[in-house]
């Protein structure tokens, strides 16, 4: 359902669907769409299999700061914000990250293969909480594999 909502809001001609592993979500599904030549938005759903919370979801964006293209291959260095929500017993953890993306893709025409890596750092808070506390947190997605659909 998230994939359809993101795909229907696309202005540009590219969409991605990736599956990844990382933290805080051990397993995650990433769906993203381009909204301009250099900007994209994405959402993720994941689970950490009982490590900290039971389920997490995030929304974010990416600006492609550097793009290198050589024929069907493309390497992208992107930056952008992410906000992650993870409900746990009696609280909801919220992490706001500034993230860096590394993405490699190989195009076969309308479909391409994507390998991506995402790192982020920022503050986290639990809601509701009996005391105000902000702590550092990280978003680590060392491996995402997926498909790119559409043309550039």
């Amino acid at each position: 359902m998230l994939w359809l909502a993101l795909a229907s809001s696309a202005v540009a001609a590219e969409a991605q669907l990736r599956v990844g592993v990382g933290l805080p979500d051990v397993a995650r599904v990433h769906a993203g769409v381009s909204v301009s030549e250099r900007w994209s938005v994405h959402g993720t759903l994941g689970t950490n299999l009982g490590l900290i919370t039971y389920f997490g979801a995030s929304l974010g964006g990416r600006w492609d700061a550097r793009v290198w293209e050589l024929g069907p291959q493309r390497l992208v260095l992107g930056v952008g914000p992410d906000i992650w929500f993870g409900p746990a017993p009696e609280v909801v953890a919220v992490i706001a990250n500034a993230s860096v993306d590394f993405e490699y893709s190989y195009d076969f025409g309308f479909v391409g293969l994507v390998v991506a890596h995402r790192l982020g750092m920022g503050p986290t808070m639990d809601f509701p909480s009996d005391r105000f506390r902000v702590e550092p947190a990280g978003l680590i997605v060392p491996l995402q594999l997926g498909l790119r659909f559409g043309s550039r």
Side-chain angles (χ1 to χ4, degrees), residues 18-134:
R18 305 188 300 223
V19 176
V21 294
L23 291 173
D25 291 324
V26 172
R28 65 175 52 218
V29 174
H30 171 108
V33 294
S34 295
V35 294
S36 74
E37 186 175 320
R38 293 238 177 184
W39 278 98
S40 61
V41 295
H42 58 263
T44 65
L45 297 174
T47 182
N48 58 20
L49 308 173
L51 294 176
I52 300 169
T53 63
Y54 303 110
F55 172 78
S58 71
L59 295 173
R62 183 180 84 189
W63 175 65
D64 296 343
R66 297 287 294 165
V67 179
W68 296 273
E69 292 191 61
L70 182 59
Q73 300 180 75
R74 180 168 82 158
L75 183 63
V76 176
L77 171 63
V79 294
D82 278 298
I83 188 158
W84 179 88
F85 304 91
E90 302 178 16
V91 296
V92 174
V94 177
I95 302 173
N97 280 302
S99 297
V100 176
D101 258 15
F102 302 96
E103 178 186 295
Y104 170 80
S105 64
Y106 190 92
D107 290 335
F108 297 98
F110 183 75
V111 176
L113 296 176
V114 177
V115 178
H117 177 71
R118 189 167 181 85
L119 295 172
M121 293 201 64
T124 183
M125 293 182 285
D126 291 338
F127 294 100
S129 179
D130 55 351
R131 62 185 182 144
F132 181 75
R133 182 176 66 190
V134 177

Side-chain angles (χ1 to χ4, degrees), residues 2-16 32-36 39-41 149-151:
L2 175 65
W3 173 249
L4 292 175
L6 287 171
S8 66
S9 67
V11 175
E14 182 180 331
Q16 291 188 9
V33 294
S34 295
V35 294
S36 74
W39 278 98
S40 61
V41 295
F149 304 95
S151 60

